[in-house]
Amino acid sequence: MAQHDQEWDGVRLTVDGAVATVTLTVPERRNAQTPAMWRALTEAGRALPGTVRVAVLRAEGVSFSAGLDRRAFTPEGIEGELSFLDLARAADAELDATIASFQEAFTWWRRNDLMSVAAVQGHAIGAGFQLALACDLRICAADAQFAMRETSLGLVPDLGGTKPLVDLVGYGRALEICATGRAVGAAEAERIGLANLVVTPDELPAATDDLVAALLAAPRDALIETKALLRGAAGRDYDTQRAAERAAQARRLRDLTPSATRSA
């Protein structure tokens, strides 16, 4: 199948059959994020054809993403963008709607019909950390460094990262990581559940491709049902989760046996 590329501000989308690769393409600024990049990431999610089963998030250069472009907090701001200093003066409804629009770049990675994989090298700071957390799975180079620096700047993580962080490492550890802003290296990330696998930087592309191949080997509908079961498990009690398992399995059995009929 032919490969198709699209590019927006700092983001390139490549679709090759069932795999979409989203690449951050601003290595000269360590892939620092801007509202334009967030709009581009949102557009990339909307542009995915229905045939895509796996979305891979990569970055050019030595860093995955160094976080929010600090120019956003200067009076001059970023060319063509509203300065965050001006945004802070907006009415409550406008401010809420603007932040919600930023969050859209981070939410589509969690769709039940899609498996998402972040390939992380170098720094994943603040918004970069939250973008890695937006994905279902994370493969990290040994030089990866995660840090949530928002609190030290007087802010909070607001791009959808708090929920997956707590789900992955627990409340106490998530609070400590956010409150201190310290760096979490690749080895610790693997130990505490942030990283699914750590490899050398040279091995990162091949290891990511291997994981993608393994995900594609599973039947799509079974993977969708399993992801939905696991994502909802934390919010269900044991009996409710067992009921959800039964319902999902019934759907799979009937799909696999079209001639099966329901008992009266």
Side-chain angles (χ1 to χ4, degrees):
M1 185 174 292
Q3 179 174 297
H4 301 283
D5 290 359
Q6 297 182 67
E7 295 203 30
W8 300 272
D9 293 273
V11 173
R12 181 173 62 251
L13 169 65
T14 302
V15 177
D16 188 2
V19 180
T21 301
V22 178
T23 306
L24 306 183
T25 60
V26 198
E28 67 277 10
R29 297 195 66 83
R30 294 198 300 161
N31 296 304
Q33 297 179 35
T34 64
M37 180 181 281
W38 294 334
R39 290 192 293 271
L41 286 167
T42 300
E43 189 61 33
R46 292 171 178 166
L48 295 185
T51 54
V52 169
R53 295 183 53 190
V54 180
V56 178
L57 177 61
R58 303 180 187 267
E60 294 181 350
V62 297
S63 292
F64 180 75
S65 175
L68 179 65
D69 191 322
R70 297 293 185 89
R71 294 177 298 169
F73 284 102
T74 65
E76 299 79 14
I78 300 170
E79 185 177 357
E81 300 287 354
L82 184 67
S83 167
F84 279 23
L85 301 179
D86 293 329
L87 180 61
R89 302 184 184 99
D92 289 350
E94 180 184 354
L95 182 55
D96 182 79
T98 300
I99 296 174
S101 72
F102 296 161
Q103 291 174 333
E104 290 181 16
F106 297 75
T107 56
W108 64 264
W109 304 90
R110 297 170 63 82
R111 284 167 31 188
N112 282 340
D113 65 333
L114 193 71
M115 293 296 296
S116 55
V117 179
V120 181
Q121 79 279 359
H123 294 94
I125 309 298
F129 191 179
Q130 293 185 79
L131 190 54
L133 286 167
C135 293
D136 297 312
L137 306 171
R138 281 152 296 283
I139 296 184
C140 298
D143 65 351
Q145 295 277 329
F146 298 95
M148 203 73 85
R149 296 278 167 76
E150 285 84 350
T151 306
S152 62
L153 298 173
L155 302 169
V156 301
D158 66 335
L159 297 170
T162 56
K163 169 68 172 169
L165 182 61
V166 171
D167 287 346
L168 287 168
V169 305
Y171 163 75
R173 197 182 299 274
L175 178 60
E176 180 260 330
I177 289 170
C178 292
T180 65
R182 71 173 179 86
V184 178
E188 181 185 0
E190 186 175 33
R191 176 170 57 82
I192 65 177
L194 280 176
N196 296 91
L197 179 67
V198 174
V199 297
T200 68
D202 289 343
E203 294 171 328
L204 186 60
T208 304
D209 291 345
D210 286 346
L211 177 57
V212 169
L215 294 172
L216 291 176
R220 181 174 195 172
D221 289 343
L223 205 57
I224 289 172
E225 290 278 16
T226 300
K227 180 176 176 179
L229 276 173
L230 294 175
R231 281 196 56 201
R236 304 185 187 109
D237 61 32
Y238 183 62
D239 288 342
T240 304
Q241 180 69 4
R242 288 193 304 121
E245 291 173 356
R246 296 194 300 271
Q249 194 70 301
R251 288 190 293 271
R252 296 305 310 128
L253 288 169
R254 290 186 178 118
D255 283 347
L256 293 171
T257 314
S259 60
T261 57
R262 299 184 185 185
S263 299

